[in-house]
Amino acid sequence: MAVLAVTILPLLFLDTRTLLGANVWIKPLKFTLSVGLYSMTTVWVMVKFLQDWKFKSRIQIALTITSLIEIVLITLQAGRGEMSHFNVTNTWNQIIYSVMGTSISIFWAFHLWMGYSIFRKESIVRSVKESLVWGMVIAGFGMIIGFFMTSPRPDQLEAMKQGIFVMSGSHQFGSGDPGVGILFFGWSTKLGDMRVPHFFGMHVMQVFVFLAAYLMNQPDSLLNQTMVRILGVLFFLINLFMVIQTLNGESIFHFNPFYTSVYGILFLLIAICLFKLISLPKDFRKEVTI
């Protein structure tokens, strides 16, 4: 992923073609960075906690092949100047879209299998295990959100009945002007954009993996476990509210008194929990009165 990202960067300046208002190479670069970040943290989890697991190699092979299929097809379509997702304009594009959907479904299943194996492993310190499991569960939820985007919309189904095949699904929810997209990411600032909760859910996993790495060097306690569990619930609630707001056709970045207040309160509680975890005493001394 690192090599591919470095290869794509010059193309952003050398190739001026655009697709839906963005440079054709932006999308493969985004996916390359995302998969690279996921892969780096997943390898660390495998090496640290699942080194003796008999299915470790199978999981690694499955995750590598399925993510590679996704990246190769996205990059190939970018080179052709075609959309990789939702594109059903001809047989070739339909095959690519179907293969991508199948590969990411397999990827999701193996991701959850890895999370379940960590949950079952007794030798992992409880607060560390709690952090890893929450990260993987929320990431799994973030991945499954993607299926909201793949469902054909009523107008698309109607067009298909008439033999017109253009798009099947969309990351946009709601109608009207999507507004100016967020720099690089292209997320809508007005209409619901399911890419936002999808991205958030997937990469909250890194937050919990970094937290697990920190907790590995701390004394385990019931308070640590409770704080991590509360963090898991709070992050999951944020992701859930993001999905609901998006399905209602409204951008996460659009000011809404209710949703904005909910996000503010939840992020404040997250900051308090993280501060509590970091500020816990590093050494515990037992004193016995004789």
Side-chain angles (χ1 to χ4, degrees):
M1 292 303 101
V3 171
L4 185 57
V6 172
T7 305
I8 290 173
L9 277 173
L11 296 175
L12 293 174
F13 305 98
L14 297 174
D15 191 344
T16 57
R17 290 177 300 160
T18 60
L19 189 62
L20 301 179
N23 186 286
V24 293
W25 296 105
I26 287 286
K27 186 170 186 175
L29 181 60
K30 288 190 296 186
F31 272 78
T32 299
L33 295 174
S34 178
V35 171
L37 185 58
Y38 174 89
S39 301
M40 189 166 58
T41 49
T42 304
V43 166
W44 183 82
V45 170
M46 283 279 192
V47 171
K48 284 287 184 182
F49 306 105
L50 296 174
Q51 190 66 37
D52 57 345
W53 187 35
K54 64 179 180 178
F55 298 115
K56 179 172 71 74
S57 296
R58 297 181 189 180
I59 291 282
Q60 288 175 313
I61 291 169
L63 291 177
T64 301
I65 291 175
T66 50
S67 57
L68 185 62
I69 289 171
E70 193 83 358
I71 290 296
V72 167
L73 293 179
I74 288 171
T75 307
L76 174 65
Q77 288 293 77
R80 297 177 63 231
E82 293 271 5
M83 290 173 54
S84 51
H85 289 78
F86 320 123
N87 190 349
V88 292
T89 52
N90 55 49
T91 304
W92 172 251
N93 290 331
Q94 290 170 13
I95 291 172
I96 286 181
Y97 188 34
S98 298
V99 170
M100 288 173 61
T102 303
S103 66
I104 207 63
S105 299
I106 296 170
F107 181 96
W108 179 74
F110 278 90
H111 168 88
L112 292 183
W113 187 12
M114 181 172 62
Y116 178 70
S117 301
I118 289 173
F119 175 74
R120 290 289 304 274
K121 198 170 179 65
E122 297 293 335
S123 60
I124 304 176
V125 175
R126 288 186 178 181
S127 58
V128 173
K129 181 195 289 189
E130 191 89 28
S131 186
L132 293 172
V133 170
W134 272 110
M136 293 201 164
V137 167
I138 297 174
F141 178 71
M143 291 176 199
I144 204 70
I145 287 170
F147 290 102
F148 279 117
M149 297 185 269
T150 61
S151 300
R153 305 300 161 79
D155 57 319
Q156 294 170 350
L157 288 172
E158 191 61 36
M160 290 176 189
K161 289 178 183 177
Q162 299 173 21
I164 303 171
F165 292 87
V166 180
M167 292 180 66
S168 178
S170 173
H171 52 73
Q172 184 174 299
F173 290 77
S175 58
D177 179 20
V180 180
I182 299 292
L183 184 64
F184 182 68
F185 294 100
W187 299 330
S188 174
T189 54
K190 292 184 178 180
L191 300 181
D193 195 325
M194 197 59 75
R195 291 176 297 181
V196 183
H198 179 60
F199 177 89
F200 179 86
M202 279 196 64
H203 292 295
V204 158
M205 175 181 164
Q206 278 76 55
V207 175
F208 281 99
V209 169
F210 292 144
L211 180 60
Y214 171 78
L215 292 172
M216 283 175 64
N217 301 315
Q218 308 303 317
D220 193 28
S221 67
L222 182 60
L223 179 59
N224 276 9
Q225 296 168 37
T226 304
M227 288 294 104
V228 174
R229 189 167 298 176
I230 292 172
L231 279 170
V233 172
L234 293 173
F235 272 112
F236 180 77
L237 284 175
I238 289 174
N239 208 191
L240 186 60
F241 275 107
M242 282 181 167
V243 173
I244 295 170
Q245 186 177 10
T246 301
L247 289 174
N248 286 332
E250 188 175 271
S251 171
I252 306 299
F253 306 102
H254 176 74
F255 177 76
N256 177 302
F258 173 73
Y259 287 109
T260 304
S261 300
V262 168
Y263 297 140
I265 292 169
L266 292 175
F267 275 117
L268 177 62
L269 292 174
I270 285 170
I272 292 171
C273 289
L274 288 173
F275 177 77
K276 185 70 175 176
L277 277 171
I278 294 171
S279 62
L280 287 173
K282 303 298 182 291
D283 298 314
F284 291 88
R285 298 179 181 179
K286 293 182 179 179
E287 296 183 2
V288 180
T289 303
I290 300 176

PDB file of all heavy atoms in Angstrom, residues 7 33 45-46 79-80 84 95 101 103 108 115 127 131 134 137 158 164 198 232 236 244 250 253 275 282 289-290:
ATOM      1  N   THR A   7       3.359   5.723  -5.747  1.00  0.00           N
ATOM      2  CA  THR A   7       3.214   5.654  -7.209  1.00  0.00           C
ATOM      3  C   THR A   7       2.068   6.537  -7.701  1.00  0.00           C
ATOM      4  O   THR A   7       2.169   7.184  -8.754  1.00  0.00           O
ATOM      5  CB  THR A   7       2.956   4.198  -7.652  1.00  0.00           C
ATOM      6  OG1 THR A   7       4.003   3.358  -7.159  1.00  0.00           O
ATOM      7  CG2 THR A   7       2.911   4.090  -9.172  1.00  0.00           C
ATOM      8  N   LEU A  33      -4.480   4.409   1.279  1.00  0.00           N
ATOM      9  CA  LEU A  33      -4.095   4.872   2.618  1.00  0.00           C
ATOM     10  C   LEU A  33      -4.944   4.185   3.691  1.00  0.00           C
ATOM     11  O   LEU A  33      -4.435   3.800   4.752  1.00  0.00           O
ATOM     12  CB  LEU A  33      -4.256   6.387   2.706  1.00  0.00           C
ATOM     13  CG  LEU A  33      -3.322   7.211   1.807  1.00  0.00           C
ATOM     14  CD1 LEU A  33      -3.688   8.693   1.878  1.00  0.00           C
ATOM     15  CD2 LEU A  33      -1.867   7.014   2.222  1.00  0.00           C
ATOM     16  N   VAL A  45      -1.814  -6.566  15.752  1.00  0.00           N
ATOM     17  CA  VAL A  45      -2.711  -7.364  16.589  1.00  0.00           C
ATOM     18  C   VAL A  45      -2.413  -8.850  16.415  1.00  0.00           C
ATOM     19  O   VAL A  45      -2.343  -9.608  17.402  1.00  0.00           O
ATOM     20  CB  VAL A  45      -4.186  -7.066  16.233  1.00  0.00           C
ATOM     21  CG1 VAL A  45      -5.121  -8.058  16.910  1.00  0.00           C
ATOM     22  CG2 VAL A  45      -4.553  -5.651  16.642  1.00  0.00           C
ATOM     23  N   MET A  46      -2.214  -9.284  15.177  1.00  0.00           N
ATOM     24  CA  MET A  46      -1.905 -10.689  14.892  1.00  0.00           C
ATOM     25  C   MET A  46      -0.621 -11.135  15.586  1.00  0.00           C
ATOM     26  O   MET A  46      -0.560 -12.191  16.224  1.00  0.00           O
ATOM     27  CB  MET A  46      -1.750 -10.883  13.379  1.00  0.00           C
ATOM     28  CG  MET A  46      -3.061 -10.920  12.621  1.00  0.00           C
ATOM     29  SD  MET A  46      -3.826 -12.546  12.726  1.00  0.00           S
ATOM     30  CE  MET A  46      -5.102 -12.379  11.493  1.00  0.00           C
ATOM     31  N   GLY A  79      -7.673   4.241 -13.759  1.00  0.00           N
ATOM     32  CA  GLY A  79      -6.868   4.356 -14.972  1.00  0.00           C
ATOM     33  C   GLY A  79      -7.726   4.437 -16.222  1.00  0.00           C
ATOM     34  O   GLY A  79      -7.370   5.111 -17.201  1.00  0.00           O
ATOM     35  N   ARG A  80      -8.878   3.751 -16.203  1.00  0.00           N
ATOM     36  CA  ARG A  80      -9.802   3.768 -17.351  1.00  0.00           C
ATOM     37  C   ARG A  80     -10.701   5.006 -17.341  1.00  0.00           C
ATOM     38  O   ARG A  80     -11.454   5.229 -18.285  1.00  0.00           O
ATOM     39  CB  ARG A  80     -10.681   2.520 -17.327  1.00  0.00           C
ATOM     40  CG  ARG A  80      -9.930   1.205 -17.483  1.00  0.00           C
ATOM     41  CD  ARG A  80     -10.867   0.013 -17.372  1.00  0.00           C
ATOM     42  NE  ARG A  80     -11.849   0.017 -18.458  1.00  0.00           N
ATOM     43  CZ  ARG A  80     -13.161  -0.100 -18.297  1.00  0.00           C
ATOM     44  NH1 ARG A  80     -13.667  -0.211 -17.076  1.00  0.00           N
ATOM     45  NH2 ARG A  80     -13.981  -0.105 -19.326  1.00  0.00           N
ATOM     46  N   SER A  84     -15.614   2.994 -10.048  1.00  0.00           N
ATOM     47  CA  SER A  84     -15.450   1.604  -9.601  1.00  0.00           C
ATOM     48  C   SER A  84     -16.683   1.124  -8.843  1.00  0.00           C
ATOM     49  O   SER A  84     -17.095  -0.017  -8.976  1.00  0.00           O
ATOM     50  CB  SER A  84     -14.198   1.467  -8.730  1.00  0.00           C
ATOM     51  OG  SER A  84     -14.192   2.433  -7.697  1.00  0.00           O
ATOM     52  N   ILE A  95     -19.340  -6.655 -13.779  1.00  0.00           N
ATOM     53  CA  ILE A  95     -18.516  -7.742 -13.230  1.00  0.00           C
ATOM     54  C   ILE A  95     -17.577  -7.203 -12.165  1.00  0.00           C
ATOM     55  O   ILE A  95     -17.443  -7.777 -11.066  1.00  0.00           O
ATOM     56  CB  ILE A  95     -17.716  -8.437 -14.357  1.00  0.00           C
ATOM     57  CG1 ILE A  95     -18.654  -9.225 -15.276  1.00  0.00           C
ATOM     58  CG2 ILE A  95     -16.642  -9.361 -13.768  1.00  0.00           C
ATOM     59  CD1 ILE A  95     -17.992  -9.775 -16.520  1.00  0.00           C
ATOM     60  N   GLY A 101     -17.858  -6.337  -4.498  1.00  0.00           N
ATOM     61  CA  GLY A 101     -18.832  -6.593  -3.438  1.00  0.00           C
ATOM     62  C   GLY A 101     -18.614  -7.934  -2.768  1.00  0.00           C
ATOM     63  O   GLY A 101     -18.708  -8.066  -1.540  1.00  0.00           O
ATOM     64  N   SER A 103     -15.709  -9.688  -2.681  1.00  0.00           N
ATOM     65  CA  SER A 103     -14.431  -9.717  -1.965  1.00  0.00           C
ATOM     66  C   SER A 103     -14.520  -8.986  -0.630  1.00  0.00           C
ATOM     67  O   SER A 103     -13.985  -9.448   0.380  1.00  0.00           O
ATOM     68  CB  SER A 103     -13.312  -9.105  -2.827  1.00  0.00           C
ATOM     69  OG  SER A 103     -13.523  -7.728  -3.039  1.00  0.00           O
ATOM     70  N   TRP A 108     -14.982  -8.889   5.328  1.00  0.00           N
ATOM     71  CA  TRP A 108     -15.742  -8.578   6.540  1.00  0.00           C
ATOM     72  C   TRP A 108     -15.907  -9.810   7.423  1.00  0.00           C
ATOM     73  O   TRP A 108     -15.736  -9.741   8.648  1.00  0.00           O
ATOM     74  CB  TRP A 108     -17.106  -8.021   6.129  1.00  0.00           C
ATOM     75  CG  TRP A 108     -18.018  -7.682   7.259  1.00  0.00           C
ATOM     76  CD1 TRP A 108     -17.923  -6.613   8.108  1.00  0.00           C
ATOM     77  CD2 TRP A 108     -19.183  -8.403   7.677  1.00  0.00           C
ATOM     78  NE1 TRP A 108     -18.955  -6.613   9.022  1.00  0.00           N
ATOM     79  CE2 TRP A 108     -19.736  -7.708   8.780  1.00  0.00           C
ATOM     80  CE3 TRP A 108     -19.808  -9.559   7.216  1.00  0.00           C
ATOM     81  CZ2 TRP A 108     -20.891  -8.131   9.425  1.00  0.00           C
ATOM     82  CZ3 TRP A 108     -20.963  -9.990   7.870  1.00  0.00           C
ATOM     83  CH2 TRP A 108     -21.500  -9.285   8.955  1.00  0.00           C
ATOM     84  N   GLY A 115     -11.765 -10.976  15.269  1.00  0.00           N
ATOM     85  CA  GLY A 115     -12.251 -10.332  16.492  1.00  0.00           C
ATOM     86  C   GLY A 115     -12.803 -11.334  17.484  1.00  0.00           C
ATOM     87  O   GLY A 115     -12.563 -11.233  18.690  1.00  0.00           O
ATOM     88  N   SER A 127      -8.512  -5.604  30.159  1.00  0.00           N
ATOM     89  CA  SER A 127      -8.740  -4.255  29.627  1.00  0.00           C
ATOM     90  C   SER A 127      -8.224  -4.136  28.200  1.00  0.00           C
ATOM     91  O   SER A 127      -8.821  -3.455  27.361  1.00  0.00           O
ATOM     92  CB  SER A 127      -8.074  -3.205  30.527  1.00  0.00           C
ATOM     93  OG  SER A 127      -6.689  -3.450  30.652  1.00  0.00           O
ATOM     94  N   SER A 131     -10.527  -3.474  24.789  1.00  0.00           N
ATOM     95  CA  SER A 131     -10.223  -2.435  23.805  1.00  0.00           C
ATOM     96  C   SER A 131     -10.165  -3.004  22.387  1.00  0.00           C
ATOM     97  O   SER A 131     -10.746  -2.442  21.445  1.00  0.00           O
ATOM     98  CB  SER A 131      -8.894  -1.762  24.155  1.00  0.00           C
ATOM     99  OG  SER A 131      -8.639  -0.672  23.305  1.00  0.00           O
ATOM    100  N   TRP A 134     -13.765  -4.110  21.137  1.00  0.00           N
ATOM    101  CA  TRP A 134     -14.602  -2.964  20.781  1.00  0.00           C
ATOM    102  C   TRP A 134     -14.145  -2.355  19.459  1.00  0.00           C
ATOM    103  O   TRP A 134     -14.978  -2.007  18.607  1.00  0.00           O
ATOM    104  CB  TRP A 134     -14.569  -1.905  21.884  1.00  0.00           C
ATOM    105  CG  TRP A 134     -15.600  -2.117  22.942  1.00  0.00           C
ATOM    106  CD1 TRP A 134     -15.398  -2.511  24.228  1.00  0.00           C
ATOM    107  CD2 TRP A 134     -17.015  -1.955  22.800  1.00  0.00           C
ATOM    108  NE1 TRP A 134     -16.592  -2.614  24.907  1.00  0.00           N
ATOM    109  CE2 TRP A 134     -17.603  -2.275  24.054  1.00  0.00           C
ATOM    110  CE3 TRP A 134     -17.845  -1.580  21.754  1.00  0.00           C
ATOM    111  CZ2 TRP A 134     -18.980  -2.218  24.271  1.00  0.00           C
ATOM    112  CZ3 TRP A 134     -19.217  -1.523  21.963  1.00  0.00           C
ATOM    113  CH2 TRP A 134     -19.772  -1.834  23.200  1.00  0.00           C
ATOM    114  N   VAL A 137     -15.273  -4.713  16.631  1.00  0.00           N
ATOM    115  CA  VAL A 137     -16.730  -4.746  16.467  1.00  0.00           C
ATOM    116  C   VAL A 137     -17.210  -3.469  15.774  1.00  0.00           C
ATOM    117  O   VAL A 137     -18.024  -3.525  14.837  1.00  0.00           O
ATOM    118  CB  VAL A 137     -17.428  -4.922  17.832  1.00  0.00           C
ATOM    119  CG1 VAL A 137     -18.921  -4.633  17.718  1.00  0.00           C
ATOM    120  CG2 VAL A 137     -17.214  -6.340  18.353  1.00  0.00           C
ATOM    121  N   GLU A 158     -36.261   1.702 -11.495  1.00  0.00           N
ATOM    122  CA  GLU A 158     -37.200   2.019 -12.564  1.00  0.00           C
ATOM    123  C   GLU A 158     -36.486   2.127 -13.908  1.00  0.00           C
ATOM    124  O   GLU A 158     -36.974   1.646 -14.932  1.00  0.00           O
ATOM    125  CB  GLU A 158     -37.920   3.340 -12.239  1.00  0.00           C
ATOM    126  CG  GLU A 158     -39.103   3.649 -13.136  1.00  0.00           C
ATOM    127  CD  GLU A 158     -40.197   2.591 -13.050  1.00  0.00           C
ATOM    128  OE1 GLU A 158     -40.431   2.041 -11.949  1.00  0.00           O
ATOM    129  OE2 GLU A 158     -40.813   2.309 -14.103  1.00  0.00           O
ATOM    130  N   ILE A 164     -32.225   0.705 -18.941  1.00  0.00           N
ATOM    131  CA  ILE A 164     -31.193   1.738 -18.801  1.00  0.00           C
ATOM    132  C   ILE A 164     -30.340   1.414 -17.574  1.00  0.00           C
ATOM    133  O   ILE A 164     -30.815   1.477 -16.437  1.00  0.00           O
ATOM    134  CB  ILE A 164     -31.824   3.135 -18.644  1.00  0.00           C
ATOM    135  CG1 ILE A 164     -32.722   3.447 -19.836  1.00  0.00           C
ATOM    136  CG2 ILE A 164     -30.729   4.202 -18.504  1.00  0.00           C
ATOM    137  CD1 ILE A 164     -33.558   4.701 -19.660  1.00  0.00           C
ATOM    138  N   HIS A 198     -19.087   5.356   7.465  1.00  0.00           N
ATOM    139  CA  HIS A 198     -18.326   4.186   7.002  1.00  0.00           C
ATOM    140  C   HIS A 198     -16.842   4.354   7.353  1.00  0.00           C
ATOM    141  O   HIS A 198     -16.221   3.448   7.927  1.00  0.00           O
ATOM    142  CB  HIS A 198     -18.519   4.052   5.488  1.00  0.00           C
ATOM    143  CG  HIS A 198     -17.777   2.912   4.862  1.00  0.00           C
ATOM    144  ND1 HIS A 198     -17.973   1.600   5.224  1.00  0.00           N
ATOM    145  CD2 HIS A 198     -16.839   2.889   3.877  1.00  0.00           C
ATOM    146  CE1 HIS A 198     -17.190   0.805   4.500  1.00  0.00           C
ATOM    147  NE2 HIS A 198     -16.487   1.573   3.680  1.00  0.00           N
ATOM    148  N   GLY A 232     -16.116   2.281  24.345  1.00  0.00           N
ATOM    149  CA  GLY A 232     -16.670   1.485  23.250  1.00  0.00           C
ATOM    150  C   GLY A 232     -18.118   1.848  22.967  1.00  0.00           C
ATOM    151  O   GLY A 232     -18.511   2.037  21.813  1.00  0.00           O
ATOM    152  N   PHE A 236     -19.490   3.758  19.587  1.00  0.00           N
ATOM    153  CA  PHE A 236     -20.521   3.065  18.811  1.00  0.00           C
ATOM    154  C   PHE A 236     -21.765   3.937  18.651  1.00  0.00           C
ATOM    155  O   PHE A 236     -22.359   3.983  17.568  1.00  0.00           O
ATOM    156  CB  PHE A 236     -20.890   1.741  19.485  1.00  0.00           C
ATOM    157  CG  PHE A 236     -21.944   0.970  18.732  1.00  0.00           C
ATOM    158  CD1 PHE A 236     -21.618   0.273  17.582  1.00  0.00           C
ATOM    159  CD2 PHE A 236     -23.268   0.973  19.153  1.00  0.00           C
ATOM    160  CE1 PHE A 236     -22.588  -0.429  16.866  1.00  0.00           C
ATOM    161  CE2 PHE A 236     -24.242   0.282  18.448  1.00  0.00           C
ATOM    162  CZ  PHE A 236     -23.900  -0.423  17.302  1.00  0.00           C
ATOM    163  N   ILE A 244     -27.891   7.260  11.279  1.00  0.00           N
ATOM    164  CA  ILE A 244     -29.283   7.734  11.314  1.00  0.00           C
ATOM    165  C   ILE A 244     -29.397   9.100  10.646  1.00  0.00           C
ATOM    166  O   ILE A 244     -30.300   9.330   9.829  1.00  0.00           O
ATOM    167  CB  ILE A 244     -29.795   7.792  12.770  1.00  0.00           C
ATOM    168  CG1 ILE A 244     -29.851   6.378  13.366  1.00  0.00           C
ATOM    169  CG2 ILE A 244     -31.168   8.454  12.835  1.00  0.00           C
ATOM    170  CD1 ILE A 244     -30.120   6.352  14.858  1.00  0.00           C
ATOM    171  N   GLU A 250     -29.211  14.075   5.675  1.00  0.00           N
ATOM    172  CA  GLU A 250     -28.517  15.270   6.163  1.00  0.00           C
ATOM    173  C   GLU A 250     -27.045  14.987   6.408  1.00  0.00           C
ATOM    174  O   GLU A 250     -26.682  13.957   6.966  1.00  0.00           O
ATOM    175  CB  GLU A 250     -29.176  15.737   7.471  1.00  0.00           C
ATOM    176  CG  GLU A 250     -28.683  17.066   7.980  1.00  0.00           C
ATOM    177  CD  GLU A 250     -29.463  17.513   9.198  1.00  0.00           C
ATOM    178  OE1 GLU A 250     -30.499  18.191   9.022  1.00  0.00           O
ATOM    179  OE2 GLU A 250     -29.058  17.166  10.321  1.00  0.00           O
ATOM    180  N   PHE A 253     -21.821  17.168   8.661  1.00  0.00           N
ATOM    181  CA  PHE A 253     -21.183  18.480   8.834  1.00  0.00           C
ATOM    182  C   PHE A 253     -22.179  19.635   8.770  1.00  0.00           C
ATOM    183  O   PHE A 253     -21.791  20.799   8.882  1.00  0.00           O
ATOM    184  CB  PHE A 253     -20.088  18.660   7.770  1.00  0.00           C
ATOM    185  CG  PHE A 253     -19.085  17.551   7.759  1.00  0.00           C
ATOM    186  CD1 PHE A 253     -19.141  16.549   6.796  1.00  0.00           C
ATOM    187  CD2 PHE A 253     -18.106  17.466   8.739  1.00  0.00           C
ATOM    188  CE1 PHE A 253     -18.226  15.503   6.797  1.00  0.00           C
ATOM    189  CE2 PHE A 253     -17.198  16.429   8.744  1.00  0.00           C
ATOM    190  CZ  PHE A 253     -17.255  15.438   7.776  1.00  0.00           C
ATOM    191  N   PHE A 275      -8.953  10.843  29.519  1.00  0.00           N
ATOM    192  CA  PHE A 275      -8.167  11.550  30.539  1.00  0.00           C
ATOM    193  C   PHE A 275      -8.085  10.714  31.814  1.00  0.00           C
ATOM    194  O   PHE A 275      -7.028  10.627  32.447  1.00  0.00           O
ATOM    195  CB  PHE A 275      -8.789  12.911  30.839  1.00  0.00           C
ATOM    196  CG  PHE A 275      -8.077  13.676  31.917  1.00  0.00           C
ATOM    197  CD1 PHE A 275      -6.879  14.332  31.638  1.00  0.00           C
ATOM    198  CD2 PHE A 275      -8.583  13.722  33.205  1.00  0.00           C
ATOM    199  CE1 PHE A 275      -6.202  15.023  32.641  1.00  0.00           C
ATOM    200  CE2 PHE A 275      -7.924  14.414  34.210  1.00  0.00           C
ATOM    201  CZ  PHE A 275      -6.719  15.067  33.931  1.00  0.00           C
ATOM    202  N   LYS A 282       0.482   5.009  37.863  1.00  0.00           N
ATOM    203  CA  LYS A 282       1.187   3.949  37.131  1.00  0.00           C
ATOM    204  C   LYS A 282       1.679   2.824  38.056  1.00  0.00           C
ATOM    205  O   LYS A 282       1.887   1.710  37.646  1.00  0.00           O
ATOM    206  CB  LYS A 282       2.388   4.540  36.380  1.00  0.00           C
ATOM    207  CG  LYS A 282       1.996   5.665  35.423  1.00  0.00           C
ATOM    208  CD  LYS A 282       1.060   5.172  34.351  1.00  0.00           C
ATOM    209  CE  LYS A 282       0.695   6.276  33.366  1.00  0.00           C
ATOM    210  NZ  LYS A 282      -0.159   7.324  33.932  1.00  0.00           N
ATOM    211  N   THR A 289      -1.014  -3.011  57.484  1.00  0.00           N
ATOM    212  CA  THR A 289      -0.807  -2.535  58.857  1.00  0.00           C
ATOM    213  C   THR A 289      -0.680  -3.726  59.792  1.00  0.00           C
ATOM    214  O   THR A 289      -1.519  -4.616  59.808  1.00  0.00           O
ATOM    215  CB  THR A 289      -2.006  -1.665  59.291  1.00  0.00           C
ATOM    216  OG1 THR A 289      -2.144  -0.591  58.371  1.00  0.00           O
ATOM    217  CG2 THR A 289      -1.768  -1.127  60.701  1.00  0.00           C
ATOM    218  N   ILE A 290       0.404  -3.752  60.551  1.00  0.00           N
ATOM    219  CA  ILE A 290       0.655  -4.864  61.483  1.00  0.00           C
ATOM    220  C   ILE A 290       0.452  -4.369  62.914  1.00  0.00           C
ATOM    221  O   ILE A 290       1.030  -3.379  63.312  1.00  0.00           O
ATOM    222  CB  ILE A 290       2.084  -5.406  61.315  1.00  0.00           C
ATOM    223  CG1 ILE A 290       2.280  -5.916  59.874  1.00  0.00           C
ATOM    224  CG2 ILE A 290       2.372  -6.527  62.324  1.00  0.00           C
ATOM    225  CD1 ILE A 290       3.681  -6.397  59.568  1.00  0.00           C
TER     226      ILE A 290
END
